[in-house]
Amino acid sequence: MKVFKFGGASVKNAESVRNVADILKQYANQELLIVVSAMGKTTNALELLAKAYYNNENESKNNLFNEVKTFHDDIIKHLLKDAASHAYDDIENLFIELDCELESAPDGSFDAIYDQIVSYGEIFSSRIISTFLNDSGIRNRWMDARNFIVTDSTYREGKVDWKITESLIGNKLKPIVKKQMVITQGFIGKNKDNHTVTLGREGSDYTAAIFAYGLNAENVTIWKDVAGVMNADPKKFPDAVKLNALSYPKAIEMAYYGATVIHPKTIQPLQSKHIPLYVKSFIQPDENGTLVGVGKVLEEQVPTFISKNNQLLISISSKDFSFIVEDNLSNIFFVFSRHKVKINLMQNSAISFSVCIDNEEEKTEKLLSELALNYNIKSNSGLEILTITNHTGELLKKLSDGRKLFIEQKTRNTLQLVLG
Ligand code: ASP
Ligand code: MG
C-alpha cells in the first residue's frame, strides 16, 4: 500500500490535473491512497475570504467568493468531456453550501471560522480530481479525511490525536484502500465536536505522513514541481543540485532550518515506522527524485544552503542591568511560548539575549509589547538566516560578501549566518 501526495502546484489548472491522471494510470492496479491539496493558490484566496467574512466586508467577501468559484468552474469546464455531464453537480452544491455559510453571521473565534472556510479548498479540489479520474476510467473512491484524522481544538494548527486517528485509519480506511484507489484531502481533520480543524499552512505533506503511519504504508511519494530535494533554492543558487538520498534526521534538520520542500512535521511519523519518503517531480515522473530513508542512506557530502527570509532579530536586556541568566531566561521563554512564537536561532551573553523569529506582524507586536514591560528591547527587521551544512571557509566569505553580518554561529557541521 502506497500514499501519494499532490500539492497545489500539481493541480493548478485543467492541464495539470490531466498530468496527474497520466501519472496515476501507471499505478491503477496498486493499493493507493492519494492526498490532494487545494488547487493552485486557492488557500490564499480563501484566507482573504475568511477575513472579509469575519470583518463583515460584504463587497470584498462577494468578490472573493466569485473569484474562487470562477477559478474552479473554469477548471471543470476544461476537464469535462461531455458538456451535458452532471458529474460535477455535487461540486456546484458545495459552492452553494459555502455561500450559505457566508450569508450567516460569523460566530466564534476567527481561527475557528478560518478553518471552516479555508478547508473548502481541499474539498473542492479532491471532488474535482476524483470525478475527473472516474470519468477518465481511473476508478477511485472519494473519502473525507475528517472521518479519520482527529485533532484537538487548536484551530489552524490542530494537534493530532494519534491513538484515535491510527485506529480509524487502520480499521475503517485500510480495508477500503485494499479494494480501491482512494482520493482524500490534505490539511484537514476534525475535532471531537465534529468541527473542521486545519493542520497548519502547507500541511498536506503532514497529512500524507499521518495516513501512511495509520496504514503502515510501504512508502510515501510527494509529487513536486522540482526534481527532488535540492541542496539549495535554485532561484537563488544557480548551481543547486538535487540530493539523491537523505537520512530522516537530515531531512528534519533541513525542514527546520527553512527548506520548503517538505513540511517539517512530515518526517517524524514516517521515521517512527521506518516508512521511506520519495520526493519526485510530477513534470518528470520517471526520474528518481530524492529518497528520504530508512537506515543508513548514502548521503552525499555536498554543502546545503537553506535560507529563511523576513527574520526579525530581537535583543533583550534587563532594565536594571542584571544578568540575563536562568531566572530572566525562563521568564523570556515563557513569554515566547505563550505567544506561540517560534525561535529560529538564539544567542546569549551575560547582559543580553538575542533571538531571530519569523516577522509575523500581529504576533510580533503583541510579543514585543509584553517583553518591553520588563526588558529593554532592540530589534532589526528584514534579515535572512542562512544555514549551511558541510560548510567551507571560502563559502562563508562568498556568501556574506558586501552584506552586514549580525550573527555567526558555527558547529562542526553547520554554519548559521544572520545577514542584513
Ligand atoms: N492548501 C493548504 C495550503 O496551501 C495545504 C497545503 O497546500 O499543503 O496551505
Ligand atoms: Mg497549498
Side-chain angles (χ1 to χ4, degrees), residues 31-275:
E31 294 175 356
L32 194 58
L33 174 94
I34 296 152
V35 172
V36 299
S37 305
M39 296 177 140
K41 302 262 180 263
T42 301
T43 306
N44 293 353
L46 288 171
E47 266 188 355
L48 295 176
L49 177 60
K51 272 189 200 148
Y53 169 60
Y54 184 74
N55 296 324
N56 290 309
E57 294 158 4
N58 277 327
E59 197 183 325
S60 96
K61 179 182 87 178
N62 293 336
N63 290 341
L64 285 159
F65 176 83
N66 289 333
E67 190 188 297
V68 173
K69 178 150 183 2
T70 314
F71 171 76
H72 288 89
D73 281 348
D74 196 53
I75 293 182
I76 293 174
K77 206 171 70 204
H78 283 93
L79 290 175
L80 269 183
K81 263 194 253 152
D82 166 11
S85 165
H86 292 291
Y88 295 90
D89 282 357
D90 56 342
I91 296 159
E92 186 65 29
N93 289 335
L94 288 170
F95 274 98
I96 296 171
E97 191 184 296
L98 171 59
D99 201 15
C100 287
E101 230 171 289
L102 295 169
E103 286 306 314
S104 63
D107 180 23
S109 72
F110 174 69
D111 288 353
I113 287 172
Y114 173 105
D115 280 358
Q116 312 318 304
I117 292 175
V118 169
S119 51
Y120 271 92
E122 269 64 19
I123 302 293
F124 297 148
S125 152
S126 58
R127 278 280 185 200
I128 294 173
I129 293 163
S130 166
T131 307
F132 174 71
L133 292 175
N134 274 324
D135 229 21
S136 321
I138 304 174
R139 301 301 302 161
N140 72 90
R141 182 157 166 194
W142 180 91
M143 304 277 330
D144 192 325
R146 291 170 294 193
N147 291 334
F148 309 104
I149 297 184
V150 178
T151 68
D152 67 358
S153 295
T154 316
Y155 292 104
R156 298 181 71 176
E157 198 68 57
K159 308 273 170 303
V160 173
D161 183 326
W162 284 99
K163 244 196 163 149
I164 299 178
T165 301
E166 186 180 17
S167 103
L168 285 171
I169 295 174
N171 297 327
K172 298 253 156 67
L173 181 62
K174 195 166 182 168
I176 300 172
V177 184
K178 279 197 168 176
K179 282 198 225 124
Q180 199 167 22
M181 181 190 284
V182 168
I183 310 285
T184 192
Q185 311 76 38
F187 186 49
I188 64 176
K190 74 172 180 201
N191 67 11
K192 294 198 175 98
D193 303 323
N194 283 329
H195 292 142
T196 304
V197 179
T198 65
L199 305 174
R201 285 302 308 264
E202 308 302 331
S204 298
D205 294 355
Y206 182 40
T207 301
I210 298 168
F211 278 121
Y213 179 92
L215 294 169
N216 286 310
E218 191 186 316
N219 58 47
V220 175
T221 305
I222 297 181
W223 296 90
K224 306 272 311 179
D225 55 0
V226 287
V229 179
M230 312 286 284
N231 75 326
D233 180 353
K235 284 179 214 121
K236 283 196 178 159
F237 297 88
D239 345 315
V241 292
K242 189 200 76 178
L243 303 168
N244 293 315
L246 280 174
S247 65
Y248 294 120
K250 175 83 181 186
I252 290 179
E253 199 179 66
M254 286 180 73
Y256 175 80
Y257 290 140
T260 50
V261 255
I262 310 169
H263 187 278
K265 288 184 184 162
T266 311
I267 304 297
Q268 200 239 335
L270 299 179
Q271 182 175 17
S272 71
K273 288 210 174 170
H274 303 287
I275 300 170

Side-chain angles (χ1 to χ4, degrees), residues 303-362:
T304 57
F305 304 89
I306 301 155
S307 99
K308 247 191 191 169
N309 288 317
N310 192 27
Q311 294 299 299
L312 182 74
L313 175 65
I314 310 172
S315 295
I316 304 162
S317 54
S318 67
K319 288 190 171 166
D320 57 5
F321 307 106
S322 64
F323 289 144
I324 298 280
V325 287
E326 291 76 5
D327 280 356
N328 278 324
L329 281 174
S330 73
N331 176 263
I332 292 168
F333 280 126
F334 183 68
V335 178
F336 276 83
S337 127
R338 200 140 41 82
H339 288 269
K340 296 199 169 76
V341 174
K342 279 200 219 107
I343 296 175
N344 295 329
L345 178 143
M346 56 187 149
Q347 179 150 308
N348 69 321
S349 72
I351 50 156
S352 92
F353 178 59
S354 298
V355 299
C356 261
I357 61 170
D358 294 339
N359 196 358
E360 297 168 35
E361 244 173 74
E362 263 172 56

